[in-house]
Amino acid sequence: MNNEKMNSKTSLLIIKIVLFMQIKAFAQYNNPANRYDKAYEQYLDATCPLQKDSIKHFVYFSRDRELIHNHPLLDNKRLVGAQIMYSWRQLEPKKGTYNFSIIYEDYAYLTSHGKKLFIQLQDVSFSATYKAVPDYLLTEEYDDGCIALNEEDGWAAKRWNRKVQNRWIQLLHALGKEFNGKIEGINFQETAAGTNNTKDSSFSPERYVKCIKENMKALKQAFPNSVTMQYANFMPGEWLPWDDKGYLRAIYQYGNEIGVGLGGPDLMVQRKGQLNHLIAMMHEYEYKVPLGIAIQDGNYIGKTGADKDYNEHKDKGLNQQENIVPLLHAFAKDFLNVNYMFWVNQEPYFRENVIPCMNN
């Protein structure tokens, strides 16, 4: 009996030691998903006015192009110009018939005030009532041309459809003939697709990566003398850092190889999704191409337009938090080493937070 009791005590002691070692190992484990969680803290002491930098600062107006008239950016030396979104639907009202009159109008107005134009080309909308693609694509010939995003949050062009893609590339060449070298730059919207092969059997993550690369190459060919940029934030079929198929990484590597700039929307310095995708890609590698980051609706208070508990159209700044513009700028400048920042014209934050920080 005594031997049995001793063996039992010894076994229990061994179990306790093993458990202790496992708990100690777990406590020391560095979760790669948390590696940038506190990166923003080193910039908490940033203040206004913003530190001197070589960044080109633009004001992002989305499709509200009329707001550039008499806007404060016109009198601010630090603000280089306006980034305006133009939808595919606006620019190609009929197949093969292009109308760039609104771009010419905005370009002329900005140029007359010594400011530059940066085009954002829209093929995805985050509105259930607006499709950014031309009507002729919404036919059987182009497999309906676009697909609904998650929970009917908007519509995305079927970038992976070869016929749709060919029409997109034709648009790029037409734009390049008119504006290459005149405008500061042009960028594609984000790579986040909001779809999978369950929603559309013609879709595959591998085909999607390939088509994004092909579109980037076509953009560079159409605009060899203006800055070109692909917003690359998330890729369908993977989730970093745990499920890394190399899709997002491949986009950043390819852009760096062919001379297409890289970046994305939503500078969220405390959110794991952005920290482990867009921010990680920009921070971890050296680039010879321009990098850009966009501060978009909600970002001034740590939100995004995709958040279910946030509606940018109802945000009147009544519960305005502290001004985080200095923090965002310092993080983008030193942690991401960006060349471009695109500050959304969201009121009251733009006039109350951004403009005072841009005034030296």
Side-chain angles (χ1 to χ4, degrees):
M1 284 292 290
N2 289 338
N3 288 337
E4 290 181 1
K5 288 182 178 179
M6 288 182 65
N7 290 337
S8 177
K9 289 181 178 179
T10 300
S11 297
L12 183 60
L13 178 61
I14 291 173
I15 292 173
K16 288 181 177 180
I17 292 173
V18 171
L19 286 174
F20 173 77
M21 296 300 293
Q22 289 178 337
I23 292 171
K24 184 177 180 181
F26 181 77
Q28 295 175 341
Y29 170 63
N30 292 320
N31 186 339
N34 299 333
R35 64 197 187 280
Y36 298 132
D37 277 7
K38 297 183 179 181
Y40 76 94
E41 292 181 355
Q42 60 189 305
Y43 306 110
L44 288 173
D45 60 351
T47 59
C48 285
L50 302 184
Q51 289 183 10
K52 184 178 180 181
D53 60 49
S54 60
I55 298 171
K56 292 188 176 182
H57 296 276
F58 280 76
V59 183
Y60 173 53
F61 289 89
S62 188
R63 291 208 328 271
D64 298 321
R65 47 182 290 271
E66 68 281 353
L67 296 182
I68 66 173
H69 293 270
N70 302 314
H71 191 274
L73 86 91
L74 303 177
D75 300 317
N76 191 297
K77 292 182 179 180
R78 201 160 185 184
L79 296 171
V80 174
Q83 183 191 40
I84 302 176
M85 178 188 287
Y86 304 96
S87 72
W88 189 354
R89 170 179 289 271
Q90 290 174 301
L91 304 180
E92 190 183 10
K94 294 182 180 179
K95 183 177 180 179
T97 300
Y98 301 107
N99 185 348
F100 303 149
S101 59
I102 55 176
I103 301 181
Y104 273 115
E105 181 181 326
D106 296 340
Y107 172 77
Y109 182 80
L110 290 168
T111 301
S112 70
H113 288 80
K115 300 298 181 180
K116 297 182 180 294
L117 173 64
F118 206 110
I119 292 174
Q120 181 167 151
L121 202 53
Q122 183 189 26
D123 65 335
V124 174
S125 83
F126 296 98
S127 167
T129 60
Y130 186 77
K131 295 179 179 180
V133 303
D135 284 336
Y136 78 83
L137 290 179
L138 307 177
T139 60
E140 184 177 348
E141 179 182 359
Y142 297 95
D143 194 23
D144 296 329
C146 65
I147 191 169
L149 297 174
N150 295 329
E151 301 180 13
E152 297 291 327
D153 286 334
W155 300 89
K158 290 191 173 184
R159 297 167 174 169
W160 55 94
N161 180 287
R162 179 62 68 183
K163 289 186 176 180
V164 173
Q165 184 187 26
N166 286 340
R167 293 306 313 166
W168 178 251
I169 291 175
Q170 290 298 314
L171 171 64
L172 299 181
H173 288 308
L175 281 167
K177 289 180 181 178
E178 301 297 325
F179 298 105
N180 172 47
K182 296 179 180 178
I183 60 171
E184 174 73 16
I186 180 170
N187 75 280
F188 289 149
Q189 285 181 285
E190 61 197 69
T191 54
T195 192
N196 52 52
N197 57 7
T198 300
K199 294 176 66 175
D200 186 335
S201 60
S202 69
F203 175 89
S204 74
E206 294 76 16
R207 166 61 190 148
Y208 190 65
V209 172
K210 184 178 180 182
C211 92
I212 293 294
K213 288 182 176 180
E214 291 169 345
N215 291 348
M216 291 167 67
K217 183 177 181 179
L219 182 64
K220 183 62 178 179
Q221 291 173 339
F223 286 89
N225 304 117
S226 293
V227 172
T228 53
M229 188 174 293
Q230 171 71 64
Y231 277 3
N233 51 352
F234 303 97
M235 291 290 284
E238 70 175 6
W239 189 257
L240 306 181
W242 305 116
D243 186 18
D244 187 352
K245 302 290 181 55
Y247 298 151
L248 185 61
R249 200 175 315 278
I251 298 303
Y252 275 81
Q253 291 173 347
Y254 187 68
N256 202 31
E257 290 172 9
I258 68 170
V260 172
L262 299 152
D266 297 322
L267 180 51
M268 302 293 289
V269 299
Q270 297 185 63
R271 191 167 295 189
K272 278 190 174 63
Q274 280 75 14
L275 287 170
N276 287 316
H277 290 80
L278 164 69
I279 289 173
M281 290 297 111
M282 296 175 71
H283 173 70
E284 292 175 0
Y285 302 97
E286 292 185 4
Y287 294 94
K288 56 187 177 183
V289 297
L291 297 182
I293 193 72
I295 295 84
Q296 298 197 340
D297 288 334
N299 293 179
Y300 293 127
I301 56 171
K303 294 288 187 178
T304 76
D307 292 347
K308 299 303 179 183
D309 63 345
Y310 179 73
N311 186 327
E312 65 268 31
H313 303 295
K314 295 182 179 180
D315 182 4
K316 305 301 181 184
L318 299 179
N319 298 314
Q320 185 173 345
Q321 302 175 16
E322 63 178 313
N323 184 2
I324 64 171
V325 165
L327 166 64
L328 297 177
H329 171 260
F331 188 94
K333 181 173 72 73
D334 295 334
F335 196 75
L336 299 182
N337 294 311
V338 301
N339 307 95
Y340 289 87
M341 293 190 75
F342 305 99
W343 302 89
V344 67
N345 184 50
Q346 183 184 14
E347 299 299 356
Y349 307 109
F350 186 83
R351 290 176 187 265
E352 294 182 4
N353 293 350
V354 179
I355 287 295
C357 285
M358 291 289 179
N359 291 326
N360 290 326

